[in-house]
Amino acid sequence: MIKNTWIFFMLLTVSMYCQGQNQFPDSLLSRFQSSGAIGKTGIYLSISRTYSKNAPGKALFYAQLADSMAQQTNNDSLLTEVKKLKGKIYADSGLFSYAITNYKQSIEFCSKLNNKPALADLNNKLGNVFLRLDDYDQAIGCFFEALKLADESHEILIAASAQNNIGITCNIFKDYSRAIEYYQKASDGFEQAGFKKAQGKILNNIALIYIDQNKLDQALEYLKKSLAIKEKADDSTSIISTINNIGLVFEKQKEFDRAFDHYIRVYNYFSNKKNLKETAISANNVGFIYLQKGDYKNAWKYLHIALEIITKTDFGNTKKIIYESLFKFYEQQKDYKNALAYHKLFMQMNDSLFSIEKENLIRNIESKYENHKHLAEIELLSHNNELIEERNFRQKFIFYTTFLLLVISILFAFTFFRSRKKVKQANAILQEKNIEINRQKDELIESNTTKDKFFSIIAHDLRSPFTSFLGFTQLLVEELDNMTLEEIKTIVISMRKSATNVYSLLENLLEWSMMQRGITRFNPEAIPLATAIHENLELIMGSAQHKEIETRWEIPENLIVYTDPHMVATVIRNLYSNAVKFTPKQGRITISAEKNNPDFVTIFIRDTGIGMNKTLIRKLFRLNEQINRKGTEGEPSSGIGLLLCHEYIEKMGGKIGVESEEGKGSSFSFSLPLIKEKIIC
């Protein structure tokens, strides 16, 4: 009862808070009420992540609610995520001690799961918090732990990030050769992982080494390349860090006005973001430039801002930098007492941060990391040796087993060779049977395809015109007495058109089915080509005249082909009807013939119609493709006529082809065998 009351009170608090903020979607609220503890924790996490970039206060509020709810689940995976998110929010808000606590708790829960990639990422994030606190020994320990875990789990991206952070720490210790070594490893890792925008950070970090070595031109070149990559990736915080470093180059080059322009931009950015450490450093930089220019009033203003921040925080290296600036400020003011005081503070911080022990810190931790890798390699080598021994044993076993089998094989060899002839005969018979089965299979597939095509035509291409025809007859039956003569004439013309289309389709369908069943016989004879074309086209030119299409003839009178007259007639009628169907009004169709060689003539039927694209051309003459393309006046088209033409022309010993371009017409061609030229009287 107490548990349920607490949940109700928490839900009521959330609802009241979100009502004031007007940010809790109704869909999430309704889903929240019906969810269990795990589901509710997930909802709080989602809302917290949404707010984490722009509203850290709200993000922390929902993260706290997620934390409270997650405690009830005892779910280590969920608790890992909650503590990780709280650590990020605290770190982004500059509350580093809270960030460290939550990251450590997240690592503790994650360790129970033995999730090495997640542990590597968490150690990397914790190391970054220590780095911002200038706690370098803790930071470098976290980074090497992250690198070790990332290597073990083959997480290239996390390993590269850890190597970059190790490089940054080495740079702070002025161990430049080791810093560049780790930067290069990080660069290779980021490139291998396809994370190109990270190259901007690497270039920025290498530039810092050149700045420390007073190689300012090289530093500026690297910083400009870094800025270009970061601006392309739209990484605002990272862009600002590079702008600050460009200001540092200008400061060292004594170009104080240019340095000031960069430093003041950085200060304005971080002071608005309320990043304490970065605000203190950028305020110190602005104050130092004013000091160089002799503007002591503004110099003190910004140095005082930096001093106020560091007195409330624990940023060791940042304190050292600011104490050095204050020492120089008082020295120029000839206030030697304060100058001496800040110089002592500066030296104390410098000795504390960069003692001999700390100089050896990276080397010692790196040595432990290398030893760990070496032990892992020894363990792997030992395992490999065991595998080699096992493999040798298997090889010996295989050898003796093979030898025994060889002896047995020799004993049975005589029997085998005696029966070999019979086996060959059996295999030959089996192969013949397989060939026959495959042939029957192909025929069955073709038969099924033919059947499917028939059903498709009957279901669609025949039903559609019959439906139209029946509709017209129904209209005549019901409305004949009320219709004018002109209306009746229009309907009858449409009925005749539908009937003509149906008849043409049925005629093609019947001829094609006869061809498929092997009923159609090829009976060639000598035919005058020009006469055959004229006679057949005169029967079907009505549709062309109706569409006002001009038909041109370019057929030599002396061409005699040797082929089946019925098949030729069917091909000519279908190709001409097809040309008429897809040619708009007042178009043109040209029928011509050309001799390719002494044995064949090629007939061309060209039109100025709508043409076809390459995809449609590939579908022609194929049984398993549906075309169903309408003519220019809605004429139906099933594609069965072209299939029939294709099979008839092959039967007659010729070939059919097509060339077409959308909007420019089509050209169908087919070849027929010739009889030697004769003069027709």
Side-chain angles (χ1 to χ4, degrees):
M1 182 67 184
I2 293 172
K3 183 178 178 182
N4 292 338
T5 304
W6 182 85
I7 294 172
F8 172 78
F9 176 75
M10 186 177 70
L11 181 57
L12 180 62
T13 304
V14 174
S15 301
M16 291 173 65
Y17 180 85
C18 295
Q19 185 177 6
Q21 300 299 319
N22 195 26
Q23 292 292 331
F24 202 122
D26 292 338
S27 59
L28 278 179
L29 183 59
S30 61
R31 193 173 66 188
F32 180 91
Q33 292 169 340
S34 61
S35 299
I38 292 176
K40 290 173 181 176
T41 304
I43 291 171
Y44 283 140
L45 276 173
S46 297
I47 298 171
S48 179
R49 288 192 183 103
T50 302
Y51 284 131
S52 62
K53 289 186 178 179
N54 302 316
K58 292 180 183 178
L60 185 58
F61 175 79
Y62 285 107
Q64 293 283 23
L65 291 174
D67 196 355
S68 300
M69 188 64 69
Q71 299 296 335
Q72 302 175 46
T73 66
N74 292 322
N75 186 315
D76 291 329
S77 179
L78 203 57
L79 285 163
T80 299
E81 286 301 311
V82 171
K83 296 295 184 182
K84 176 182 172 182
L85 180 59
K86 286 179 69 179
K88 180 184 183 302
I89 295 168
Y90 280 126
D92 291 344
S93 303
L95 301 170
F96 299 123
S97 60
Y98 292 106
I100 289 168
T101 300
N102 279 275
Y103 275 136
K104 284 184 175 179
Q105 289 174 348
S106 183
I107 289 171
E108 184 180 345
F109 288 120
C110 194
S111 297
K112 298 177 185 178
L113 304 170
N114 196 29
N115 186 339
K116 289 186 179 180
L119 280 170
D121 182 52
L122 285 166
N123 274 281
N124 210 20
K125 285 179 167 55
L126 180 59
N128 273 313
V129 176
F130 283 125
L131 192 62
R132 294 183 70 183
L133 280 170
D134 302 327
D135 191 346
Y136 303 120
D137 51 350
Q138 294 273 20
I140 200 70
C142 289
F143 294 145
F144 270 107
E145 180 66 16
L147 181 57
K148 183 192 77 171
L149 292 165
D151 283 346
E152 289 174 357
S153 53
H154 307 290
E155 288 291 332
I156 298 171
L157 196 58
I158 299 175
S161 180
Q163 287 162 339
N164 180 54
N165 289 330
I166 293 169
I168 292 170
T169 314
C170 292
N171 193 6
I172 292 170
F173 283 106
K174 302 188 183 303
D175 189 349
Y176 300 129
S177 60
R178 189 177 270 107
I180 289 177
E181 176 189 343
Y182 278 101
Y183 286 150
Q184 188 57 55
K185 289 178 180 178
S187 179
D188 294 342
F190 285 132
E191 186 173 353
Q192 186 179 349
F195 196 64
K196 293 184 178 179
K197 70 177 183 180
Q199 296 297 331
K201 295 181 180 180
I202 300 293
L203 292 170
N204 178 84
N205 296 339
I206 293 173
L208 292 176
I209 294 175
Y210 286 127
I211 291 173
D212 283 351
Q213 295 175 335
N214 209 33
K215 298 177 181 178
L216 301 180
D217 291 337
Q218 290 169 280
L220 191 58
E221 181 183 349
Y222 272 83
L223 288 169
K224 286 179 179 178
K225 291 178 181 178
S226 169
L227 188 61
I229 294 171
K230 291 180 178 181
E231 286 176 341
K232 191 173 181 180
D234 196 22
D235 187 354
S236 57
T237 303
S238 189
I239 288 170
I240 287 296
S241 70
T242 300
I243 289 171
N244 179 79
N245 295 333
I246 293 173
L248 180 58
V249 173
F250 288 138
E251 176 195 320
K252 288 183 175 291
Q253 290 176 335
K254 309 297 182 186
E255 296 186 39
F256 298 123
D257 289 336
R258 297 179 74 181
F260 176 82
D261 291 341
H262 286 75
Y263 283 155
I264 196 67
R265 181 177 171 187
V266 175
Y267 171 76
N268 290 334
Y269 177 85
F270 284 121
S271 60
N272 289 331
K273 295 281 185 182
K274 298 181 180 179
N275 292 47
L276 295 179
K277 179 180 179 180
E278 289 78 8
T279 303
I281 293 172
S282 57
N284 174 78
N285 291 341
V286 173
F288 186 78
I289 294 298
Y290 274 126
L291 183 62
Q292 298 302 310
K293 296 170 72 174
D295 188 344
Y296 299 113
K297 181 179 179 181
N298 280 316
W300 172 247
K301 173 185 172 183
Y302 283 96
L303 290 174
H304 186 68
I305 291 170
L307 183 61
E308 280 189 334
I309 292 173
I310 64 166
T311 54
K312 301 173 185 177
T313 57
D314 192 24
F315 304 131
N317 194 45
T318 307
K319 285 183 178 181
K320 185 197 77 165
I321 294 167
I322 294 168
Y323 288 154
E324 185 180 16
S325 297
L326 287 166
F327 153 66
K328 291 179 180 178
F329 173 81
Y330 283 115
E331 186 182 36
Q332 287 192 28
Q333 293 285 79
K334 301 188 186 310
D335 185 348
Y336 298 115
K337 181 179 179 180
N338 279 318
L340 181 59
Y342 280 110
H343 186 264
K344 286 182 178 179
L345 290 171
F346 163 71
M347 292 304 295
Q348 288 172 5
M349 293 303 303
N350 193 55
D351 292 342
S352 173
L353 288 167
F354 299 105
S355 62
I356 295 173
E357 289 79 7
K358 289 186 181 293
E359 288 177 5
N360 294 324
L361 177 67
I362 295 175
R363 190 174 294 105
N364 292 336
I365 297 177
E366 186 179 47
S367 176
K368 289 179 183 178
Y369 166 71
E370 293 297 335
N371 286 340
H372 174 82
K373 283 180 65 179
H374 184 60
L375 288 172
E377 288 171 359
I378 290 172
E379 185 179 347
L380 180 63
L381 185 61
S382 175
H383 179 65
N384 287 340
N385 287 335
E386 290 176 3
L387 290 176
I388 290 169
E389 289 179 4
E390 185 181 346
R391 186 175 61 189
N392 289 337
F393 174 78
R394 285 202 305 268
Q395 286 177 344
K396 288 179 181 178
F397 177 79
I398 291 169
F399 172 77
Y400 290 121
T401 305
T402 305
F403 179 76
L404 180 61
L405 290 173
L406 183 61
V407 172
I408 295 171
S409 298
I410 292 171
L411 294 175
F412 286 99
F414 181 71
T415 306
F416 171 77
F417 284 114
R418 286 180 62 185
S419 61
R420 186 177 179 183
K421 186 175 181 181
K422 292 183 179 180
V423 171
K424 279 187 176 182
Q425 291 174 346
N427 285 338
I429 294 170
L430 183 60
Q431 189 173 6
E432 289 177 3
K433 292 293 182 183
N434 285 335
I435 293 170
E436 179 64 20
I437 289 169
N438 287 331
R439 185 187 63 77
Q440 291 175 356
K441 177 184 173 183
D442 292 339
E443 289 178 356
L444 181 60
I445 292 171
E446 186 177 354
S447 174
N448 284 335
T449 305
T450 304
K451 178 192 69 177
D452 292 341
K453 184 69 176 178
F454 266 94
F455 287 161
S456 171
I457 293 167
I458 293 168
H460 181 272
D461 298 282
L462 284 178
R463 174 184 284 182
S464 180
F466 269 122
T467 301
S468 174
F469 193 85
L470 290 171
F472 284 131
T473 58
Q474 183 70 23
L475 184 62
L476 285 174
V477 169
E478 294 177 355
E479 300 292 334
L480 184 62
D481 294 335
N482 300 324
M483 295 173 70
T484 65
L485 183 61
E486 195 64 32
E487 290 174 333
I488 294 170
K489 184 178 179 182
T490 301
I491 290 174
V492 170
I493 291 171
S494 297
M495 290 173 66
R496 184 180 183 282
K497 185 177 179 182
S498 294
T500 302
N501 290 333
V502 171
Y503 178 77
S504 176
L505 179 60
L506 281 172
E507 190 177 43
N508 282 334
L509 198 58
L510 289 171
E511 287 198 35
W512 184 54
S513 66
M514 291 170 66
M515 172 69 76
Q516 297 300 312
R517 288 182 293 156
I519 297 174
T520 304
R521 294 287 181 264
F522 178 56
N523 299 310
E525 59 182 78
I527 305 169
L529 181 61
T531 304
I533 292 175
H534 276 283
E535 287 177 352
N536 280 287
L537 294 190
E538 282 177 357
L539 300 174
I540 59 170
M541 286 187 67
S543 56
Q545 292 167 355
H546 172 72
K547 294 177 77 172
E548 301 177 21
I549 294 172
E550 176 189 359
T551 302
R552 294 183 179 178
W553 312 81
E554 299 174 2
I555 308 295
E557 294 292 333
N558 60 344
L559 292 175
I560 307 295
V561 293
Y562 185 73
T563 189
D564 188 304
H566 172 72
M567 290 184 179
V568 169
T570 301
V571 170
I572 291 170
R573 287 200 305 271
N574 269 290
L575 292 181
Y576 182 78
S577 297
N578 209 49
V580 172
K581 190 180 299 179
F582 294 106
T583 301
K585 282 190 174 183
Q586 298 181 347
R588 183 175 68 256
I589 298 173
T590 303
I591 304 170
S592 60
E594 298 175 6
K595 285 181 61 178
N596 301 70
N597 57 55
D599 299 321
F600 283 90
V601 63
T602 301
I603 297 92
F604 295 91
I605 300 179
R606 300 182 175 95
D607 62 61
T608 58
I610 59 178
M612 295 174 285
N613 58 32
K614 292 181 180 179
T615 302
L616 189 57
I617 291 173
R618 285 195 294 268
K619 291 183 178 182
L620 300 178
F621 315 121
R622 296 175 69 173
L623 185 60
N624 58 346
E625 295 285 356
Q626 291 289 339
I627 299 175
N628 296 329
R629 192 187 191 201
K630 297 289 185 182
T632 58
E633 293 188 356
E635 300 99 322
S637 175
S638 65
I640 195 71
L642 289 178
L643 282 172
L644 187 60
C645 290
H646 181 265
E647 296 198 16
Y648 272 179
I649 289 167
E650 285 193 345
K651 193 84 172 177
M652 293 185 288
K655 293 182 180 180
I656 188 168
V658 58
E659 293 179 0
S660 185
E661 187 177 347
E662 279 191 299
K664 295 186 178 181
S666 302
S667 174
F668 282 84
S669 62
F670 64 95
S671 58
L672 294 173
L674 281 169
I675 288 182
K676 295 297 181 178
E677 292 183 5
K678 295 181 181 180
I679 298 175
I680 305 299
C681 299

